[in-house]
Amino acid sequence: MRIKTILMTGLFMALSLTSFCQAPTPKTLPAKRTTLKVKIDGLITDSAWKDAALATGLIEFRPKVGAPEENITRSETYLMYDDDGIYFGGYLYERTKDSISTELRGRDGFGNNDFIGIIFDTYKDHQNGFEYFITPLNEQMDAKQSPVSNGDSEDFSWNAVWESGAVIHADGWSFEMFIPYSAIRFGSKNVQDWGLNITRRRQKTGQQYMWNPVDPNVNGFLTQEGYWTGITNIKAPLRLQFSPYFSTYANHFPANIPGVSNWSSQVNGGLDVKYGITPAFTLDATLIPDFGQVQSDNRILNLTPFDVQFNENRAFFTEGTELFSKGGLFYSRRIGVEPVYNKLSVGTDEIVTKQPRESKLINATKISGRTQKGLGIGLLNAVTKPRYATLENTISKENRTIEVEPLTNYNVLVLDQTLKNNSSVSLVNTNVWRSGGAYDANVTAALFSLNDKKNMWNVSGKAALSNQIGYLPDGKTLTGYSQSLSFGKTSGRFNFSVFQDITDTKYTNRDLGFFTNNNFLIHGLWVGYRWTEPKNWYNRIFIDINTRYSKLLTKINPIDQTYQTSNLNFNINMQSKKLWWVGGYVGLTFRENDFYEPRWMGHFFRRNASLGFGGWFESNSAKKYSFYGELFGRRLFNFYNGIGFDYFLQQNYRFNSKLSLTYRISVQPRFNNVGYAYSENNSEIIFARRNRRTVENVLSSKYNFTNRMGLTFRLRHYYSSVDNKEFFTLRSDGKLNPNPAFNKNVNRNLNLFNIDMVYTWQFAPGSFLNLVWKSSVEEGNNIVEKNYIKNFNNTLEADQINNLSMKVIYFLDYLQIKNKKKKKIV
């Protein structure tokens, strides 16, 4: 009875914390049309600005929520529109010129800058927005904002072409923006009201302001927007834009084979097209794409049974793809970079002499947009060429070529309907079609996220069905399902979420998604509390406790176990008055049954409980010198004295607004780590007690000549070793028996080295000249070298792949070309 009373009291207190004052009435700004000419030079001296609508009186969003701007640092901004687009300008006052924080970072790089930004919710659905920012040095940032399960997500990979200007003065800085209607999406009504907010950051003080007040304890920014009212008779122009490109490559690798040149070259040409099908929908296509200049992957020594998930660096698959991320079914690197299909059959006396890892992308197309009634539609399609491998007969020395991956078509379809109260329902389908006799794959998922009228409570879920058509030996389809459900409180100082995830033994989305494992039932709970009002020594404090319990959904014969793992974690993060951040973590992982580490179905590895602990800190990033550090550790209980640590330190130094340097080092020692080592079949699986050491050094710098021209340099050296000390045979009960007879050398010593040096010049709006130098080295064997300096020297002495490339992209807008012709005729 007493426990029941305590629980009821706790629930009452939690619910009491959800009550807060009614949200203030949203601000409104009348839309003013102008017919006067405006020169975008950063000076708001043109006559048109005198009749523009004034938006002032910004309210502090952080650190002191709700405080009005001081008069000496006030913001005076103006908004108007004409037949061609939207004009946003203003004057941002400061105490002195030195109070303005400036740094040249390049497009979409906020850096150590003050900024002003405007946010439009053109469909007034409180979920999808367009954001445009400018810094005192006239660098642009823009993004699309879309809803996620808890809050909003900003996609800064989306880029539009618009004009801006900024000028620094003795008592502040002024700015102007012109956003053409081709750079934003909106409906076709004659009279429209848009959601609107304006935001300003003062970097040196850590203050950020909003025109319409925003409470950080309320779920979502767009749910707290003001309104721009009475926009009349605006029409989307014909949006037809071309970006032809030309690229050339020179590659060097010291093969040193008689008759084979160490040099190779390549010349490419292609075209990107953007076409406005309707005012709200856009078609993007890339024909004969070239992604050779993307940044090198941060490859690692992977000792896990799962793939490593890398970042997508190809612009076509990052820009404006927020719809395709719904449901987590789409991993774009499956298209060309990391395909999963590989039908390689090697004969007894054959070796593989050539096997490209990637498939050549022929073309890719995507259509995306949202109707006036809130229906978002996304369609992505891509085609890759067949991939071939070359085999050599070791006896006859004859070569033969075989197809390891056929011609493949990848397709993603998303339907996302926004509803009242920041809610939505979605349908996602991914499909992979392969020519010939290869199997095809299809995954369909339905999602929902529902909020109450007060935007306080949320229930969300997903149900997915996967089909691998022709995958089974008899040509039949393998069908599986997955589902998830969560409920939680998303607004207020106290938040929580409870969830359940279920996936059967046959479900997989690996053909076009990132996938690790199936056959699980997971229950979880997350509880958090936040203090967002600054007090004596802190600005903000966040704490949370989370727990998770996982088991197999279906037993795996002959194992009589279903329990997998469970854990309990506590986190705390806080910001001080001096804008320093500090955090801590303690986590207990209970005994585990690992069904994946053995690499063979029907086996599992029993791992004892462990305790994790650590903390992190970050200095004031507005200073010339700033740093960030982490220290984490994990100790296993009564399990071969296993212990591991993670050390991380990053240091940043800004010499001036143009030049900055960043150095980071990560060290991850593992002592008496136990894991999979070797197996030829499932009759004998060898584990090892080993010492592991990983060191990563990254040195990067940037120098921006102007806000349109810059040079970046990035050097990465990664070293990782596995030094096996003792071997074991895995038993059927998940425990280990010593195996002193095993004498194979399965040690690992890997060095990876990369340089990426990029010169970029935006010589016209949307047009770029890129010069790139890339150098890479991979040096590895089974002889452990413990001395880091020797590893680094051995890496530099190894054969290097060097690549020098030039790429020119020229942006052509049909309307601009048409208008220029008209002017010439006149």
Side-chain angles (χ1 to χ4, degrees):
M1 184 67 179
R2 185 178 179 184
I3 294 176
K4 183 178 179 180
T5 302
I6 293 173
L7 290 174
M8 292 299 293
T9 303
L11 179 62
F12 173 77
M13 292 177 64
L15 294 176
S16 297
L17 290 169
T18 67
S19 62
F20 50 82
C21 297
Q22 185 177 358
T25 302
K27 291 182 179 180
T28 60
L29 191 71
K32 297 292 186 71
R33 179 186 285 270
T34 185
T35 58
L36 301 177
K37 186 178 179 181
V38 179
K39 181 181 179 181
I40 304 300
D41 56 8
L43 299 171
I44 51 172
T45 54
D46 294 305
S47 299
W49 290 113
K50 296 178 181 179
D51 297 322
L54 172 64
T56 188
L58 273 61
I59 303 298
E60 192 167 340
F61 164 59
R62 62 167 69 101
K64 191 175 182 180
V65 181
E69 283 185 303
E70 294 184 64
N71 184 65
I72 196 172
T73 57
R74 66 190 182 277
S75 306
E76 295 179 353
T77 64
Y78 303 88
L79 188 61
M80 60 186 178
Y81 70 103
D82 64 10
D83 291 339
D84 299 317
I86 303 161
Y87 297 88
F88 179 51
Y91 202 101
L92 309 175
Y93 288 88
E94 280 292 350
R95 288 179 170 82
T96 66
K97 186 176 182 179
D98 292 337
S99 301
I100 304 170
S101 185
T102 59
E103 181 186 12
L104 287 170
R105 293 294 300 181
R107 180 71 183 246
D108 291 330
F110 283 88
N112 195 59
N113 278 298
D114 289 356
F115 66 72
I116 186 74
I118 190 164
I119 304 165
F120 295 110
D121 174 9
T122 57
Y123 297 101
K124 204 179 174 182
D125 61 6
H126 306 287
Q127 298 187 52
N128 299 276
F130 297 88
E131 305 178 349
Y132 308 86
F133 303 87
I134 185 177
T135 72
L137 296 179
N138 193 27
E139 288 192 314
Q140 297 178 350
M141 296 84 75
D142 45 24
K144 275 186 178 181
Q145 191 170 136
S146 58
V148 292
S149 58
N150 182 12
D152 302 305
S153 173
E154 294 174 298
D155 176 16
F156 281 95
S157 64
W158 177 79
N159 287 318
V161 178
W162 46 284
E163 297 179 51
S164 64
V167 177
I168 296 176
H169 307 273
D171 61 344
W173 60 286
S174 59
F175 71 94
E176 289 179 306
M177 297 183 191
F178 172 65
I179 304 167
Y181 294 133
S182 60
I184 196 168
R185 309 291 173 263
F186 52 88
S188 56
K189 290 182 178 179
N190 289 332
V191 180
Q192 302 184 35
D193 295 341
W194 291 1
L196 171 70
N197 221 333
I198 297 167
T199 182
R200 176 189 178 185
R201 182 175 79 175
R202 300 180 63 230
Q203 176 70 355
K204 290 184 178 180
T205 63
Q207 293 172 296
Q208 188 168 350
Y209 300 88
M210 308 294 289
W211 172 66
N212 197 73
V214 170
D215 185 345
N217 294 320
V218 175
N219 179 28
F221 285 129
L222 294 182
T223 60
Q224 304 177 71
E225 63 194 11
Y227 299 105
W228 192 29
T229 59
I231 311 163
T232 58
N233 298 322
I234 61 171
K235 294 181 180 180
L238 174 63
R239 291 183 287 116
L240 180 57
Q241 299 164 347
F242 303 94
S243 295
Y245 83 86
F246 167 81
S247 63
T248 180
Y249 292 82
N251 310 295
H252 179 266
F253 178 73
N256 299 324
I257 300 175
V260 178
S261 175
N262 292 340
W263 287 90
S264 64
S265 61
Q266 186 178 359
V267 176
N268 301 315
L271 177 70
D272 290 344
V273 180
K274 187 183 292 287
Y275 173 63
I277 303 172
T278 70
F281 286 87
T282 303
L283 179 146
D284 291 273
T286 180
L287 309 175
I288 320 176
D290 173 21
F291 301 120
Q293 291 191 331
V294 300
Q295 181 178 297
S296 305
D297 290 330
N298 289 334
R299 295 172 55 209
I300 64 172
L301 175 61
N302 182 18
L303 298 180
T304 75
F306 308 119
D307 292 339
V308 176
Q309 186 171 12
F310 292 103
N311 292 330
E312 175 62 87
N313 295 318
R314 298 173 296 176
F316 180 84
F317 294 105
T318 60
E319 294 179 359
T321 56
E322 70 283 348
L323 267 177
F324 302 105
S325 64
K326 291 277 183 179
L329 300 183
F330 178 47
Y331 179 46
S332 58
R333 287 177 62 102
R334 290 285 181 247
I335 302 175
V337 181
E338 298 177 37
V340 299
Y341 190 89
N342 190 8
K343 190 177 181 180
L344 179 62
S345 178
V346 182
T348 305
D349 298 319
E350 290 182 319
I351 59 172
V352 180
T353 58
K354 184 180 180 181
Q355 185 184 7
R357 294 190 336 177
E358 302 181 3
S359 301
K360 183 71 174 178
L361 184 63
I362 300 174
N363 61 63
T365 305
K366 60 189 176 189
I367 298 173
S368 61
R370 191 170 295 273
T371 68
Q372 189 75 48
K373 295 184 178 180
L375 176 62
I377 302 174
L379 176 65
L380 186 147
N381 196 84
V383 182
T384 58
K385 287 183 176 182
R387 186 162 47 103
Y388 298 93
T390 302
L391 308 181
E392 178 184 293
N393 188 295
T394 57
I395 299 176
S396 65
K397 301 301 180 181
E398 293 180 351
N399 292 328
R400 69 184 180 100
T401 301
I402 63 170
E403 183 183 86
V404 295
E405 183 188 14
L407 176 76
T408 305
N409 186 87
Y410 300 90
N411 184 272
V412 184
L413 172 66
V414 181
L415 303 175
D416 176 56
Q417 178 64 59
T418 59
L419 304 173
K420 291 182 179 180
N421 307 321
N422 200 27
S423 302
S424 66
V425 292
S426 307
L427 180 71
V428 183
N429 177 266
T430 65
N431 188 79
V432 179
W433 174 87
R434 299 180 176 97
S435 65
Y439 77 90
D440 304 323
N442 186 283
V443 181
T444 302
L447 303 90
F448 67 91
S449 178
L450 306 175
N451 296 288
D452 69 328
K453 290 183 179 180
K454 293 184 178 180
N455 196 26
M456 180 81 67
W457 304 91
N458 174 270
V459 58
S460 59
K462 178 177 76 172
L465 192 70
S466 69
N467 291 283
Q468 290 184 302
I469 304 158
Y471 182 82
L472 296 175
D474 57 2
K476 292 184 178 180
T477 298
L478 181 68
T479 300
Y481 75 89
S482 175
Q483 65 186 54
S484 61
L485 183 67
S486 68
F487 170 75
K489 180 176 174 291
T490 55
S491 288
R493 294 173 65 176
F494 170 78
N495 300 141
F496 74 88
S497 175
V498 292
F499 63 89
Q500 180 192 71
D501 295 331
I502 298 176
T503 297
D504 75 353
T505 59
K506 300 176 182 179
Y507 175 83
T508 178
N509 67 326
R510 69 189 298 265
D511 291 274
L512 195 45
F514 185 79
F515 178 81
T516 54
N517 61 285
N518 51 24
N519 189 22
F520 56 78
L521 170 62
I522 299 174
H523 295 92
L525 169 67
W526 178 92
V527 178
Y529 192 82
R530 50 192 172 187
W531 291 263
T532 55
E533 183 179 349
K535 295 296 184 181
N536 295 331
W537 56 273
Y538 69 85
N539 284 332
R540 289 173 277 175
I541 300 178
F542 306 94
I543 62 170
D544 72 79
I545 298 173
N546 61 84
T547 183
R548 183 172 173 269
Y549 176 89
S550 174
K551 61 175 290 187
L552 296 179
L553 183 65
T554 304
K555 285 186 179 181
I556 303 174
N557 291 326
I559 303 173
D560 190 27
Q561 295 278 349
T562 58
Y563 167 79
Q564 292 197 92
T565 185
S566 57
N567 55 48
L568 177 65
N569 303 306
F570 171 79
N571 298 282
I572 181 170
N573 301 299
M574 63 184 72
Q575 185 190 43
S576 73
K577 288 286 189 177
K578 294 186 177 181
L579 306 183
W580 282 55
W581 281 95
V582 63
Y585 156 82
V586 177
L588 178 63
T589 299
F590 301 94
R591 180 182 61 84
E592 297 179 89
N593 291 327
D594 192 333
F595 295 91
Y596 311 103
E597 184 68 13
R599 296 341 191 245
W600 292 92
M601 186 71 71
H603 297 266
F604 74 101
F605 171 51
R606 180 170 292 179
R607 188 181 288 111
N608 282 3
S610 63
L611 178 67
F613 50 89
W616 64 276
F617 54 88
E618 181 181 20
S619 69
N620 186 347
S621 60
K623 304 294 184 181
K624 276 184 172 291
Y625 172 75
S626 63
F627 56 91
Y628 171 86
E630 295 178 357
L631 171 59
F632 291 94
R634 181 164 293 276
R635 174 76 182 189
L636 281 85
F637 300 120
N638 301 318
F639 197 77
Y640 302 98
N641 295 316
I643 190 169
F645 296 96
D646 289 352
Y647 308 100
F648 178 87
L649 179 64
Q650 176 172 309
Q651 301 179 81
N652 312 291
Y653 189 78
R654 289 182 294 109
F655 295 90
N656 48 50
S657 64
K658 295 184 176 182
L659 177 63
S660 66
L661 187 69
T662 299
Y663 169 69
R664 75 169 190 253
I665 181 171
S666 172
V667 182
Q668 299 175 334
R670 303 285 188 271
F671 303 101
N672 297 316
N673 172 264
V674 177
Y676 170 85
Y678 179 82
S679 64
E680 292 184 355
N681 51 57
N682 64 352
S683 62
E684 185 179 43
I685 302 173
I686 303 299
F687 272 58
R689 178 179 63 83
R690 61 210 181 184
N691 289 340
R692 295 168 49 190
R693 187 184 182 209
T694 299
V695 180
E696 181 186 45
N697 281 279
V698 179
L699 177 66
S700 57
S701 64
K702 67 90 186 170
Y703 185 85
N704 284 62
F705 303 94
T706 68
N707 58 6
R708 297 290 184 268
M709 182 189 300
L711 182 69
T712 62
F713 176 85
R714 183 178 188 270
L715 181 152
R716 175 182 183 254
H717 176 241
Y718 172 90
Y719 154 70
S720 188
S721 66
V722 179
D723 189 5
N724 295 294
K725 301 297 184 181
E726 184 180 8
F727 294 102
F728 307 88
T729 299
L730 181 66
R731 296 181 352 193
S732 60
D733 63 356
K735 296 183 179 181
L736 303 175
N737 278 343
N739 187 347
F742 183 81
N743 58 6
K744 288 184 179 294
N745 185 352
V746 290
N747 291 341
R748 300 289 299 275
N749 198 91
L750 176 66
N751 286 276
L752 300 170
F753 180 84
N754 292 95
I755 290 177
D756 292 85
M757 189 171 181
V758 181
Y759 167 81
T760 298
W761 174 32
Q762 183 179 350
F763 57 87
S767 302
F768 297 88
L769 168 66
N770 297 326
L771 297 175
V772 177
W773 170 45
K774 299 173 72 172
S775 179
S776 64
V777 180
E778 179 176 344
E779 188 269 337
N781 50 52
N782 57 6
I783 302 174
V784 175
E785 174 56 69
K786 296 181 180 180
N787 187 295
Y788 177 80
I789 300 300
K790 288 184 178 180
N791 273 283
F792 186 72
N793 290 335
N794 292 339
T795 304
L796 296 182
E797 292 173 0
D799 292 338
Q800 299 181 17
I801 300 175
N802 282 281
N803 172 286
L804 184 63
S805 63
M806 179 187 72
K807 186 175 184 179
V808 180
I809 306 169
Y810 195 79
F811 175 79
L812 299 170
D813 185 279
Y814 170 78
L815 285 181
Q816 290 182 357
I817 298 173
K818 184 179 178 181
N819 292 335
K820 285 181 180 178
K821 287 184 177 180
K822 283 185 178 180
K823 289 179 180 179
K824 287 182 180 180
I825 294 174
V826 173

